[in-house]
Amino acid sequence: MMTNSSSFMELHSIVWLMLACLLVCLRRGSTNGIGYVISFAIGASFITVLLWIFRYLYLLHKCRSFREAFSLLPSFHVRKMWLQGGTSGLLWSIGNFFSMISVKDLGEGVGYSVIQVSVGIDSM
């Protein structure tokens, strides 16, 4: 079982890695702002579908049955979770957009530090 400090460090590390990847792509890419958010959303959706396909293929290899592999995949619970999932995705995208603005306007030293402090405060 994880303690609060270890789960905080894991969460902080994951968010730091995600933000670092986003900011590198923002600096190196030709698009910025809202165009980058849309491009990132399309890429994230593609990777998610690709990972589900890999998971299905792994289960297929393990079970050797198409139906059993499909039945072992977790349910999406779309009817129950569409509002919560849509809201969390929208809020994350808005936060992602404003984090790019803060880094772009304040610089990486101040803007990125503010983003990291917000992650620490949110996890408390």
Side-chain angles (χ1 to χ4, degrees), residues 48-89:
T48 301
V49 169
L50 190 65
L51 289 174
W52 271 95
I53 291 170
F54 284 150
R55 184 175 179 153
Y56 177 73
L57 292 174
Y58 168 75
L59 291 171
L60 182 64
H61 175 72
K62 189 175 174 182
C63 299
R64 307 234 186 254
S65 166
F66 290 104
R67 279 194 181 163
E68 189 176 349
F70 186 76
S71 68
L72 289 174
L73 289 173
S75 176
F76 283 115
H77 299 286
V78 175
R79 290 185 178 147
K80 294 179 184 177
M81 296 298 296
W82 71 270
L83 182 63
Q84 295 90 339
T87 303
S88 65

Side-chain angles (χ1 to χ4, degrees), residues 5-17 116 119-120 122-124:
S5 62
S6 67
S7 62
F8 169 76
M9 291 305 293
E10 288 176 6
L11 175 68
H12 186 73
S13 300
I14 290 169
V15 171
W16 178 84
L17 182 64
Q116 290 301 304
V119 171
D122 287 343
S123 63
M124 289 184 183

Side-chain angles (χ1 to χ4, degrees), residues 16-55:
W16 178 84
L17 182 64
M18 284 177 28
L19 288 173
C21 291
L22 288 172
L23 297 176
V24 166
C25 294
L26 179 64
R27 290 280 189 193
R28 302 275 183 203
S30 60
T31 63
N32 55 22
I34 195 71
Y36 179 75
V37 172
I38 293 169
S39 172
F40 180 79
I42 292 169
S45 300
F46 176 75
I47 293 298
T48 301
V49 169
L50 190 65
L51 289 174
W52 271 95
I53 291 170
F54 284 150
R55 184 175 179 153

